[in-house]
Amino acid sequence: MTSVQIKPSDYIKALVCGFASPVREKRLLIMLVAYIDDSGSNESDNVFVLAGFISTAERWMRFSDAWDALCRQDPQTPDFKMKVAERLKGKDTYWGNGTEEELIARRDAKVQALANVIENHAMCRISAGMDWNNYREIARGNVPAHVDSPYFFLFWNLIAEVANHQQRNNVREKVDFVFDEQGALGTTAVAWHPTLIATLPPFMSYILSSTPIFRDDAEVLPLKAADMLAWQMRRYVSDSRKDSTVRPALATLLNLPHIHANIDRGHLAEIVREVNHAS
């Protein structure tokens, strides 16, 4: 039996496979999909970030094939993850042998090339962040146990801010949200989807009517772009307390239009009250 080769772009096309062919081709051109990943889930990281990008399904298809082709070029970066790329030496890295300067040059060139692929295909970047100290002081222990995680707060705040952006700009196309796999935590966040939708005005609830889904970044490559942005942003915020230098790859990604949903202390306290009221 001949095995069927699956291209990275096929996972994006699967999002619209239920439509008839003429409708499917049109949907690929206009369908907006947000891919989002997290960084900073360990409290020692100081800040917790969700970040990613929005683009059309058609552009994400082209991105996936371009990203895959670049990762296959030397130095090869199979199953690219930013935390692995940051490491210079060891069995779980990508950069081979050489002096530290050679390894850094190899890494930085590849990460920059991947950032260029993102910039060429994403329409905008999206992010939400929260200080771990604020979460511990304001939210922890003050909300139902099954949602007592900064991921839950950032998850819904980012989605709601995307809807706000669509409303402000009168963009009526729905946005499908795809997150990196989170296990039980993601299941809990999605379970609140009907509750959130019920609180929104009709325009915003229409934009967000599709239930968020979770996928494996080994198959859905736009999640790897989200991983890069989330890691770079979390690292920059943490490092800025000592050194505010923006890495070149992050500077490239910052060129994209931005939707941001940072949660400060006042906003966090307000969300805690709303969650308790809804529960």
Side-chain angles (χ1 to χ4, degrees):
M1 178 181 291
T2 303
S3 61
V4 177
Q5 181 156 3
I6 298 176
K7 296 195 302 180
S9 56
D10 290 339
Y11 291 100
I12 313 302
K13 189 179 294 185
L15 289 171
V16 294
C17 65
F19 293 99
S21 181
V23 177
R24 180 170 62 247
E25 297 307 315
K26 181 179 179 181
R27 287 290 293 158
L28 284 169
L29 290 171
I30 64 173
M31 178 182 179
L32 296 177
V33 188
Y35 290 94
I36 302 164
D37 200 0
D38 67 285
S39 184
S41 58
N42 294 321
E43 296 190 37
S44 60
D45 291 323
N46 299 319
V47 294
F48 198 144
V49 173
L50 289 188
F53 302 93
I54 298 176
S55 199
T56 64
E58 188 270 341
R59 289 167 70 107
W60 281 131
M61 287 175 59
R62 289 191 280 114
F63 161 87
S64 296
D65 291 338
W67 179 280
D68 181 63
L70 181 56
C71 284
R72 292 176 184 275
Q73 296 176 16
D74 290 330
Q76 295 184 27
T77 52
D79 196 21
F80 178 90
K81 295 184 186 298
M82 193 62 228
K83 68 179 181 181
V84 179
E86 183 68 5
R87 296 197 293 263
L88 297 178
K89 297 181 179 180
K91 64 177 182 178
D92 295 324
T93 189
Y94 309 125
W95 313 122
N97 300 315
T99 66
E100 182 173 347
E101 290 76 14
E102 289 171 335
L103 298 179
I104 290 174
R106 219 172 285 159
R107 177 197 66 196
D108 291 353
K110 191 60 172 278
V111 171
Q112 181 61 53
L114 290 168
N116 292 342
V117 172
I118 299 171
E119 184 186 28
N120 290 337
H121 294 88
M123 294 172 61
C124 73
R125 59 188 170 92
I126 56 179
S127 63
M130 183 190 305
D131 190 289
W132 264 108
N133 282 333
N134 289 344
Y135 189 82
R136 284 190 291 264
E137 294 173 7
I138 297 171
R140 177 168 287 165
N142 295 319
V143 294
H146 64 290
V147 297
D148 197 345
S149 165
Y151 183 90
F152 172 84
F153 289 79
L154 293 171
F155 179 95
W156 282 117
N157 201 58
L158 184 55
I159 287 176
E161 187 54 37
V162 170
N164 280 326
H165 178 270
Q166 297 289 85
Q167 183 178 42
R168 288 193 297 268
N169 292 278
N170 198 32
V171 178
R172 298 201 59 84
E173 184 61 30
K174 293 182 180 181
V175 181
D176 286 343
F177 289 85
V178 183
F179 291 81
D180 193 30
E181 291 283 4
Q182 293 292 329
L185 188 61
T187 301
T188 298
V190 168
W192 279 65
H193 184 259
T195 301
L196 174 72
I197 293 298
T199 68
L200 300 176
F203 181 96
M204 293 175 65
S205 62
Y206 166 78
I207 295 297
L208 303 180
S209 59
S210 298
T211 302
I213 61 175
F214 293 82
R215 291 293 182 265
D216 185 348
D217 67 1
E219 298 175 342
V220 182
L221 299 188
L223 288 170
K224 294 189 176 297
D227 166 78
M228 177 186 287
L229 179 61
W231 188 96
Q232 292 269 357
M233 292 191 68
R234 191 265 306 165
R235 186 65 177 263
Y236 172 70
V237 172
S238 296
D239 289 351
S240 65
R241 298 169 184 179
K242 302 170 290 186
D243 178 6
S244 60
T245 302
V246 178
R247 297 182 181 209
L250 178 58
T252 296
L253 301 178
L254 294 180
N255 288 329
L256 290 164
H258 189 204
I259 300 173
H260 188 52
N262 195 48
I263 301 178
D264 59 20
R265 292 179 65 87
H267 191 192
L268 180 57
E270 179 183 347
I271 296 174
V272 168
R273 289 192 294 270
E274 291 176 353
V275 167
N276 286 320
H277 177 73
S279 61

